[in-house]
Amino acid sequence: MKRILLTGGTGYIGSHTAIELINKGYDVEILDNLFNSKITVLDKIEKLTGKRPKFYEVDLLDKEGMEKVFAEGHYDLVIHFAGLKAVAESVKNPLLYYKNNVSGTVNLLECMKEYGVKNIIFSSSATVYGQQKESRMVETMSTGNGITNPYGKTKFVIEEILKDVAAADETFSVVILRYFNPVGNHPSGLIGEDPNGIPNNLMPIIMKVYRGEIPELNIYGDDYQTPDGTCIRDYIHVVDLAKGHVAAAENMKSGVNIYNLGSGRGTSVKEMVDLFEKCSGKPLPHKIAERREGDLGELVAEPGKAEKELNWKTELTVEDAIRDTLAYLNNL
Ligand code: NAD
Ligand code: UFG
């Protein structure tokens, strides 16, 4: 697995993964259409690793452009991060999400087939578990039932496509990584989550409140069946998440292998606000608001399979993520 193409590699998780892979000696190349990331990320990757990955500004939907990348690349493995990820936007514009995420992945898989690239690691999400009776997700649980938005459904559909492609070709290896809630950034504070536009996720919104760009945080609901009534999630430091991809690349096996990447520990929204206030030494304006449609009360990973088979587990805490987020904010 020496030569690796990262689709979406200038994005938040892709750029952190590029750093971990380069530091382990892999040859990393990046393909991205820069829809939700900036080309300057490459300078930062170079600064942090001493190597500048080759970059292709290509859209997954541009089949001709994609073919050129594969004709030059001779890749051993593709790590497929590229995709749109804004849940609310996907509800308003589902076709955009199916076209970009699903059709884009089909184009990618066709190129891989044409150029004999037999290994893929896919960025999936805990969202594929949909509605479950339990709050702790295990990889063997059913998927696809009660997913509340088109974004989440694209992840489920892509997982199914990957399973079908692997079933049709026994030399094809697939790893599906189901991320829980990625937070934080590289401890240097040089790169981080820097979405173009209005953020959707809790930590980027907290960052905007901290900087005074949003007046206050709305805590979506305090009447869930959780100890303090606010929603619980499994927040995973993005550097741990990035290392999970290195572990997956080092342990590629035939067939389809699915892993949760999470810490196994839950943190409520209120706890997150308290921790942020403690780490920053500044009050974070917030108020209780209505529940957000489609939110589950509690969603936490059972991370044992990744620990056993990939020899990977999280090492960093939510406090580490907040500390690194503050370093990034102070660098902006
Ligand atoms: P991101 O938006 O920072 O990165 C995605 C990158 O893909 C961006 O740089 C974007 O420009 C690129 N991209 C999008 N569509 C493209 C296309 N058609 N062609 C080429 N490039 C394209 O997002 P991220 O947080 O780094 O997420 C990476 C992957 O992980 C995504 O697939 C996302 O759905 C998945 N994921 C993210 C989270 C999360 O909370 N961040 C959780 C679960 C799963
Ligand atoms: N939250 C707030 N206020 C905000 C934003 C979020 O209280 O302004 C709460 C949410 O209600 C939720 C928690 O913070 O309880 C985390 O919300 P995020 O939007 O950051 O994350 P989600 O768990 O809702 O979403 C994540 C991924 C998606 C994925 C989804 C599936 O970001 O990619 O899990 O559950 F689809």
Side-chain angles (χ1 to χ4, degrees):
M1 298 300 148
K2 191 75 187 119
R3 289 183 56 73
I4 306 181
L5 177 68
L6 309 189
T7 73
T10 42
Y12 171 50
I13 302 168
S15 57
H16 285 87
T17 304
I19 290 169
E20 298 304 320
L21 287 168
I22 295 169
N23 284 341
K24 283 263 182 168
Y26 291 95
D27 288 341
V28 171
E29 298 195 352
I30 290 177
L31 174 162
D32 202 296
N33 65 0
L34 299 178
F35 177 80
N36 199 36
S37 54
K38 298 186 178 76
I39 187 85
T40 49
V41 166
L42 296 174
D43 302 333
K44 295 171 183 170
I45 295 175
E46 185 175 9
K47 194 163 176 189
L48 291 168
T49 64
K51 283 207 177 125
R52 190 180 186 84
K54 186 165 182 181
F55 177 70
Y56 297 92
E57 186 175 344
V58 173
D59 194 300
L60 290 176
L61 296 171
D62 169 11
K63 193 70 192 295
E64 229 173 86
M66 293 282 290
E67 298 218 353
K68 279 193 197 137
V69 175
F70 277 85
E72 286 178 19
H74 306 288
Y75 303 111
D76 301 307
L77 165 69
V78 173
I79 308 186
H80 180 31
F81 298 99
L84 298 174
K85 60 165 187 176
V87 171
E89 182 187 54
S90 79
V91 175
K92 289 201 192 93
N93 198 348
L95 292 180
L96 174 69
Y97 274 68
Y98 286 110
K99 189 167 181 182
N100 191 78
N101 293 5
V102 179
S103 303
T105 302
V106 171
N107 273 352
L108 173 70
L109 290 167
E110 282 177 351
C111 286
M112 289 178 67
K113 188 173 178 196
E114 199 174 326
Y115 288 91
V117 183
K118 296 285 189 181
N119 298 287
I120 187 167
I121 296 175
F122 172 59
S123 298
S124 191
S125 164
T127 195
V128 300
Y129 290 111
Q131 307 278 344
Q132 302 279 348
K133 284 197 194 79
E134 295 80 16
S135 54
R136 217 174 160 79
M137 301 301 127
V138 186
E139 291 87 345
T140 47
M141 283 176 168
S142 67
T143 51
N145 293 321
I147 302 176
T148 50
N149 60 79
Y151 161 73
K153 288 179 193 167
T154 68
K155 292 293 175 194
F156 170 70
V157 170
I158 295 168
E159 285 198 3
E160 295 302 299
I161 292 172
L162 290 168
K163 289 175 194 168
D164 289 341
V165 171
D169 176 359
E170 60 181 23
T171 65
F172 195 70
S173 300
V174 174
V175 170
I176 291 170
L177 299 178
R178 294 182 181 152
Y179 309 158
F180 281 68
N181 289 58
V183 285
N185 46 260
H186 192 270
S188 64
L190 266 187
I191 59 167
E193 190 165 18
D194 199 1
N196 299 334
I198 304 155
N200 305 277
N201 296 117
L202 180 62
M203 190 57 102
I205 292 171
I206 287 180
M207 288 159 75
K208 290 220 179 268
V209 174
Y210 172 77
R211 291 162 76 188
E213 291 166 24
I214 295 178
E216 62 187 347
L217 170 74
N218 286 313
I219 296 182
Y220 295 138
D222 68 348
D223 55 353
Y224 286 94
Q225 296 281 318
T226 60
D228 67 20
T230 65
C231 290
I232 291 177
R233 293 289 180 274
D234 185 336
Y235 296 94
I236 171 173
H237 195 298
V238 71
V239 171
D240 276 333
L241 186 63
K243 288 179 177 167
H245 294 74
V246 178
E250 283 170 353
N251 291 281
M252 290 296 296
K253 287 182 290 202
S254 60
V256 180
N257 290 283
I258 303 177
Y259 301 100
N260 287 339
L261 294 186
S263 69
R265 286 182 304 275
T267 304
S268 75
V269 182
K270 268 191 184 156
E271 284 170 334
M272 188 61 110
V273 170
D274 290 347
L275 285 171
F276 200 94
E277 289 183 333
K278 196 176 112 204
C279 293
S280 68
K282 231 174 94 171
L284 189 82
H286 60 274
K287 70 167 192 307
I288 304 299
E290 291 286 294
R291 284 184 178 203
R292 185 173 67 177
E293 210 180 317
D295 271 347
L296 302 170
E298 187 167 356
L299 192 58
V300 176
E302 167 48 59
K305 187 178 176 202
E307 181 170 359
K308 192 160 154 246
E309 294 186 17
L310 302 180
N311 197 20
W312 169 93
K313 65 177 167 58
T314 59
E315 289 167 349
L316 300 166
T317 61
V318 173
E319 285 96 322
D320 292 322
I322 293 172
R323 188 203 58 225
D324 295 335
T325 299
L326 289 165
Y328 176 65
L329 286 174
N330 294 331
N331 248 336
L332 286 177

